Amino acid sequence: MTSPSPAERLLDDLEITEPDEIDVEVIAWAVGARVRYRPLPRGDARIVGMGERAIITVDDRASRVRQRFSVAHELGHWHHHRGQRLICHGGSVDAEADACEREADRYAADLLIPRSMLMPRVADAPISFALVERTARRFGVSTLAAALRLADVHPGKFALIVTEPDGRRWFRRSPALPKGWRVRVDTPDFQSRTHPPSDPDAMQHVLAYYHLLGRGLRGLLVSRETVQLRSGQMLMIINAVS
Ligand SMILES: [Zn+2]
């Protein structure tokens, strides 16, 4: 059993036990931060803190889902990076290069999709795009945020491959995917094809080596779902359950 993260402990302290009780403004207020909405010239949000008080400013033109994530992300900075430079321009930051941004994103995921609420809802359901969408709706988060969170906690053996609008690809693997299996992001078939938005019901079965490398994969089939996200990204779910 993983011990609760700081965000999950905060939810416990506030006796929040259901996804629709995760009201980010109320949670912010409980930790001394006020949230206000106005147009921001760049980035989705920022936080300015002094002593025990902070103001989080969120772009009022962003979608509600994005605003919630932004508030939760800034609360991550408030928890982890208080007293440090507290002006954050999310969205313009290279997340890979910035450990603070990753830490704030992690906090946001824990706050908005806490393990204790997610696990009972997904433990018996095989990974699929339908499950990702259901999770996104239930927790009021983006499809990608739900998918990444499922890759943290779901017991299935699967990998997510995300293609950015500029063609850059990255992946996330579930904990149960055998360690010796490497995820390929260079699959020629994948690279050269322009995927139409797939019908979420149309799951394909393909040879595992299209997407995975390692021992024991010969002849193995994996299921594959590809979906175009509203963000312009492409999400592929490679599920190694035969
Ligand atoms: Zn940030």
Side-chain angles (χ1 to χ4, degrees):
M1 186 71 198
T2 318
S3 60
S5 67
E8 289 166 322
R9 276 201 302 277
L10 175 59
L11 292 171
D12 276 352
D13 291 347
L14 297 172
E15 297 181 3
I16 292 172
T17 56
E18 293 296 323
D20 45 17
E21 296 168 357
I22 304 174
D23 180 328
V24 290
E25 282 86 7
V26 171
I27 294 167
W29 180 83
V31 295
R34 194 163 71 77
V35 182
R36 61 179 190 168
Y37 295 88
R38 59 172 53 184
L40 282 180
R42 66 194 180 103
D44 286 331
R46 65 176 183 220
I47 181 165
V48 179
M50 182 172 297
E52 295 300 306
R53 298 274 148 205
I55 291 184
I56 293 171
T57 308
V58 179
D59 193 342
D60 62 2
R61 297 160 301 183
S63 69
R64 185 59 194 149
V65 158
R66 204 166 172 97
Q67 288 176 343
R68 288 185 79 236
F69 192 87
S70 292
V71 174
H73 172 99
E74 298 304 329
L75 289 174
H77 284 312
W78 187 231
H79 177 84
H80 288 294
H81 313 124
R82 196 178 299 204
Q84 300 176 30
R85 183 175 162 276
L86 268 175
I87 297 174
C88 159
H89 299 285
S92 63
V93 171
D94 179 353
E96 278 176 5
D98 194 333
C100 287
E101 293 309 303
R102 283 205 301 273
E103 213 168 11
D105 278 345
R106 158 66 51 195
Y107 187 96
D110 287 343
L111 190 72
L112 298 178
I113 323 169
R115 189 180 292 264
S116 60
M117 294 184 209
L118 180 59
M119 280 307 283
R121 290 176 164 85
V122 303
D124 298 326
I127 188 71
S128 67
F129 184 67
L131 181 67
V132 170
E133 278 291 80
R134 203 157 64 235
T135 302
R137 274 199 304 277
R138 188 71 185 93
F139 288 87
V141 298
S142 71
T143 304
L144 186 58
L148 291 173
R149 191 60 169 149
L150 284 167
D152 284 342
V153 305
H154 193 281
K157 295 178 195 171
F158 65 96
L160 308 173
I161 301 176
V162 177
T163 308
E164 298 291 341
D166 65 5
R168 201 164 43 89
R169 274 199 297 273
W170 51 278
F171 68 89
R172 187 71 69 83
R173 47 191 302 146
S174 73
L177 195 72
K179 293 281 176 283
W181 292 0
R182 286 188 292 124
V183 180
R184 298 181 66 180
V185 292
D186 62 339
T187 306
D189 176 39
F190 183 17
Q191 205 161 34
S192 59
R193 256 177 70 196
T194 310
H195 287 276
S198 78
D199 175 354
D201 295 329
M203 190 180 282
Q204 293 174 288
H205 293 275
V206 297
L207 286 166
Y209 73 77
Y210 281 172
H211 299 292
L212 300 169
L213 291 173
R215 293 171 76 93
L217 289 169
R218 187 190 293 264
L220 193 74
L221 289 175
V222 294
S223 71
R224 176 173 78 184
E225 283 183 282
T226 311
V227 182
Q228 173 95 52
L229 304 179
R230 272 191 292 276
S231 57
Q233 292 157 312
M234 194 79 75
L235 171 65
M236 186 179 268
I237 304 174
I238 306 297
N239 188 3
V241 167
S242 46

